[in-house]
Amino acid sequence: QLQLVESGGGLVQPGGSLRLSCAASGFTLDGYYITWFRQAPGKEREPLSCIRPTDGRPSYADSVKGRFTISRDDVKNAVYLQMNSLKAEETGIYYCAADLLSHLGTCSVTPGRYRYWGQGTQVTVSS
């Protein structure tokens, strides 16, 4: 059974940091495009960062560029999102998603293109 499990969420003060983890079972992440999405209350799911399967090249939404870092550990079969300088408006549920995207050949910002999803982890940025 292919499964993604996120962890690492919690309560953090504005300006603080968190490191989210996305662990996979049933398949190896290094063959998939992995994207982190955030869903704020009452809003649509938005893409934050993606890592490519072949060369591990990352890409970021403009809103998180310079503050968030995506990385992959092939030994642990996990992808991470290091989040620094968090803002109150970044409160939400954070999801990791995976897909081969073989027909696209690049990261996608569209949630519907990803076949595998984790259950999400809550991040609350508040003082």
Side-chain angles (χ1 to χ4, degrees):
Q1 184 179 0
L2 281 66
Q3 191 175 14
L4 294 171
V5 178
E6 301 98 333
S7 61
L11 174 65
V12 64
Q13 292 187 344
S17 298
L18 280 176
R19 186 188 189 219
L20 305 183
S21 299
C22 172
S25 59
F27 66 111
T28 53
L29 287 176
D30 63 357
Y32 288 72
Y33 289 85
I34 310 297
T35 295
W36 283 96
F37 289 85
R38 175 177 62 225
Q39 188 160 24
K43 295 188 177 181
E44 294 185 354
R45 209 165 286 192
E46 64 172 314
L48 302 175
S49 181
C50 175
I51 189 165
R52 303 198 316 192
T54 50
D55 55 8
R57 182 176 178 180
S59 59
Y60 300 94
D62 288 343
S63 61
V64 305
K65 203 170 291 184
R67 299 186 298 120
F68 289 16
T69 303
I70 192 170
S71 62
R72 191 179 71 215
D73 186 328
D74 293 341
V75 174
K76 294 184 178 180
N77 201 26
V79 170
Y80 305 96
L81 187 68
Q82 176 68 42
M83 306 186 296
N84 300 327
S85 303
L86 282 161
K87 307 173 183 178
E89 57 266 34
E90 294 179 316
T91 291
I93 301 175
Y94 285 66
Y95 299 91
C96 63
D99 201 284
L100 291 172
L101 296 179
S102 53
H103 59 292
L104 197 62
T106 188
C107 292
S108 174
V109 299
T110 306
R113 289 190 180 271
Y114 291 84
R115 180 175 181 181
Y116 305 108
W117 288 83
Q119 83 289 349
T121 185
Q122 175 71 44
V123 172
T124 302
V125 185
S126 174
S127 55

